[in-house]
Structure formats: C-alpha cells, structure tokens
Amino acid sequence: MSEVLVVVDHVDGAIRKPTLELLAIAKRLGEPAAVFFGGSDKAGEVAEKLKAFGAEKIYVVDDAEIKGYLVAPKAEALQQLVEKASPAAVLFVSGYEGKEVAARLAIKIESGLITDAVDVEADGGAPVTTQSVFAGNYTVKAKVTKGTPIITVKPNSTSPVEEAGAGTVEEFSATISDAAKTAQIVAQQPRKASGRPELTEAAIVVSGGRGTGGNFEPIEGLADALGAAVGASRAAVDSGWMPHTFQVGQTGKTVSPQLYVANGISGAIQHRAGMQTSKTIVAVNKDDEAPIFELVDFGVVGDLHSVLPAATEKINERKN
Ligand code: FAD
C-alpha cells in the first residue's frame, strides 16, 4: 500500500486537531505518513501523538533552514520528499499556509490540486473529493487526473480516530535553495490568546449578528459554556462590535463545525456561504420568518438576550 503524506499543522510542536482528522482520511487512502517540520527536541513527543492517531511513519524534516522564512522552503522540501517517497496523495489542512504550500508543491511536481475539500473518499484509483462551492449552492465531486493528488481539507471534515499506527520515525533532510529563502520573517508576534478555540477549527461555533444590538455577552457566555469559538455576521463586524477576524461568510471565514449556533442573524446568502456545511445548525431569532430557519436543524423563536442566558445556565448546571 502506498503512503499518503499528511503535512502536520502545529505550533511549536502542539499538533492542531485538523492534522489528526487528516490522518483518519489518509487511512482510507493508504498508509498514513505524517510530515513534521520542526526541531528534533519536539520530534519525540510529536511522533507519539501522531502514532496514536494512526501514523505508520513520521518524516521529521529539520526546520533549521525553513522556519525563518515564508512558505517557499517548505514547498521545496516537500517536493524532494514526494520524489523520494512517491506517495499516493499529499494532504494539507485548508488554511492560508496549507493552501499556499500545497499550490507551490503542485506546480513544482506538475500535479493537480484540489482545495477546501469537505470529504475525501477512496474510489479504487485516485481519491475523490467533495467540495461545497458557489456559496454552498453546489456540491462538487472531483479527482485529480494528473500526477500525485494534492488535496487541502477543511477542518472538521471528519473525526480523528485514535488507533495506533507503527509510528516509525525517519529523519529527512532537504536541500533548500537560496531562491527559496528570499522572503525572510523578520518579526512575529503571537495573537493574544482568547482561551477559545480557533474559529475555523472549532467543533462548535456560537455566532452573533445585528440582533445582539452590540452586546456579545450572551454569545460569549454560551460559547464558553460549550467550549466553542465565537463568530459574527458582517453586520456585527461592520458595526464595529467584533473584529473582522470573527466574521463568518462569503467575505469572512468559512467554518464547518459539528454545531453552529446563529443568534440574531437573519441568514443572508453571504452569511450562509460561510457556515452552511456545518453538521448541525441551531438558530435563535425573534422573527419566525427569518430565512435562517430554512436551514436549521433546531430553531428557537425568541429574544437571544433571554434565550441564551437561560440555555447557558442549564448547560453549566449539567456540566457541574
Ligand atoms: P440582519 O440581516 O439585520 O439580521 C438581524 C436578525 O436579528 C434579524 O433576523 C432579526 O429578526 C434578528 N433579531 C433582532 N433582534 C433580535 C433579538 N433580540 N433576539 C433574536 N433575534 C433578533 N454577511 C455575513 O454575515 N458574512 C459575510 O461574509 C458577508 N459578505 C458579504 C459580501 C457581499 C458582497 C455582500 C453584498 C454582503 C455580505 N454580507 C455578509 C452581508 C449580508 O448580506 C447581510 O447583510 C448580513 O449577513 C446581515 O447580518 P445579520 O444577519 O447580523 O443582520
């Protein structure tokens, strides 16, 4: 069985959950082989975790010549690894960096690229992906017809499977050209931690719209009770109530959580575009004719300022 490379998304060795989801997808397609860019000090711990979630092999790529630069060195290293390992596919997490490295790799190895898949199945030969396109109005099945399939997969497309693989660690050293090192990182500052999960990766998202009237406390209270990320409609962002990084929709972020709770959001097409692939959708809106109710699994007609605190209280009671 051929290897399926999974490029590990991590911060200082802390593996993000979407990588574990990719390992579950890789298992459907062949032998999961993770690719970790990082120092050897973190490699042992990282390898243990990847192994626990099904990695048969872990390629540790020393990032000494990679980490101080933007994406080009990573694409170059992956090109060399693909040439050596001849994998059946290469999977990335759909994020800004993942998509850019994937695109550069696809050009280098003259392979087809599919971005933002929400599912990947094995269909005998090449993997078949599912994408949700045109503001979620069409579902498209696609496969790569040239070269090694390169696929970026959205977070929450599947659940991680805790089933140990062989976890063989193999060091891989790449040769990075000077041309790949022309865009250097001169400073970086981590975003202040909110204590909540990242919006695009969260399993649960609680969003607020114009109906909040600018008071996001009930939204944040429910989000914290559920361990969820906070999102917002463009109306809430344009009003200056929340930063743009919280916006869900066509011109904001696309989320696909297990549970999306829309509060005081009417359900405009541009908002739906960013959330309608969520597995379960719940809405709280005081207008029983709000379009959001057309796509919900569960709807509450009521004032969010009373419904949400009541729900939060009950959830906290159950948790204790
Ligand atoms: P509204 O449409 O004003 O809805 C507010 C809702 O709150 C209403 O349904 C109302 O009944 C309800 N409500 C009021 N008070 C309460 C209460 N106390 N309790 C419960 N419910 C209450 N929008 C996005 O969200 N994301 C995007 O990325 C995006 N991109 C866009 C791109 C383009 C090119 C364009 C033209 C528009 C875009 N929009 C986007 C804007 C979009 O068309 C809508 O205007 C926006 O989504 C509306 O936000 P809203 O639902 O919060 O506000």
Side-chain angles (χ1 to χ4, degrees):
M1 217 191 309
S2 301
E3 285 178 1
V4 175
L5 299 185
V6 167
V7 180
V8 177
D9 185 18
H10 71 98
V11 179
D12 285 337
I15 301 169
R16 297 178 130 154
K17 183 171 149 271
T19 298
L20 308 179
E21 296 163 9
L22 290 189
L23 288 172
I25 290 175
K27 182 123 197 186
R28 299 177 199 159
L29 309 172
E31 264 186 25
V35 185
F36 171 66
F37 287 95
S40 49
D41 52 328
K42 301 263 164 40
E45 203 183 316
V46 166
E48 276 311 305
K49 176 122 194 206
L50 295 167
K51 175 183 172 176
F53 284 85
E56 298 294 338
K57 194 184 275 182
I58 295 112
Y59 289 105
V60 176
V61 187
D62 182 14
D63 68 348
E65 277 199 277
I66 293 174
K67 68 177 175 210
Y69 302 92
L70 294 181
V71 291
K74 266 192 188 164
E76 213 166 78
L78 284 168
Q79 174 187 12
Q80 292 163 29
L81 183 56
V82 167
E83 280 161 5
K84 173 187 173 284
S86 304
V90 187
L91 307 180
F92 290 83
V93 175
S94 268
Y96 295 119
E97 182 176 305
K99 285 200 263 192
E100 194 174 343
V101 178
R104 285 171 182 262
L105 175 64
I107 291 168
K108 284 178 187 296
I109 62 172
E110 296 187 20
S111 282
L113 164 72
I114 293 174
T115 55
D116 290 336
V118 292
D119 197 12
V120 188
E121 299 151 57
D123 182 26
V128 176
T129 64
T130 306
Q131 291 160 292
S132 176
V133 301
F134 292 136
N137 285 315
Y138 288 86
T139 297
V140 173
K141 299 255 181 202
K143 67 176 167 188
V144 167
T145 56
K146 182 168 187 254
T148 307
I150 317 259
I151 301 166
T152 78
V153 184
K154 280 191 186 178
N156 291 309
S157 293
T158 192
S159 304
V161 178
E162 205 165 349
E163 195 183 296
T168 315
V169 175
E170 190 174 315
E171 310 254 329
F172 180 78
S173 51
T175 314
I176 306 300
S177 69
D178 287 343
K181 294 195 242 171
T182 45
Q184 194 176 3
I185 297 167
V186 289
Q188 52 183 327
Q189 189 159 15
R191 194 181 46 202
K192 254 213 213 121
S194 67
R196 298 194 183 105
E198 219 289 303
L199 181 56
T200 54
E201 289 173 11
I204 306 178
V205 174
V206 179
S207 284
R210 204 194 306 272
T212 60
N215 176 10
F216 262 68
E217 260 176 47
I219 310 290
E220 291 174 332
L222 179 63
D224 291 342
L226 293 170
V230 170
S233 73
R234 178 154 154 187
V237 168
D238 285 352
S239 304
W241 301 336
M242 294 306 266
H244 178 67
T245 46
F246 285 63
Q247 186 179 317
V248 171
Q250 190 180 318
T251 43
K253 290 191 173 149
T254 305
V255 299
S256 198
Q258 299 294 332
L259 172 64
Y260 186 84
V261 190
N263 305 286
I265 293 177
S266 60
I269 183 77
Q270 296 88 355
H271 187 78
R272 291 177 182 210
M275 47 65 75
Q276 65 185 6
T277 54
S278 306
K279 309 291 177 297
T280 300
I281 299 172
V282 172
V284 179
N285 198 301
K286 66 179 187 185
D287 173 7
D288 64 358
E289 293 194 354
I292 191 83
F293 286 130
E294 290 163 16
L295 74 156
V296 297
D297 298 281
F298 185 76
V300 180
V301 179
D303 185 336
L304 70 91
H305 297 287
S306 49
V307 174
L308 297 194
T312 305
E313 199 185 317
K314 286 279 170 212
I315 291 164
N316 284 334
E317 259 173 43
R318 288 217 175 186
K319 280 198 329 200
N320 297 330

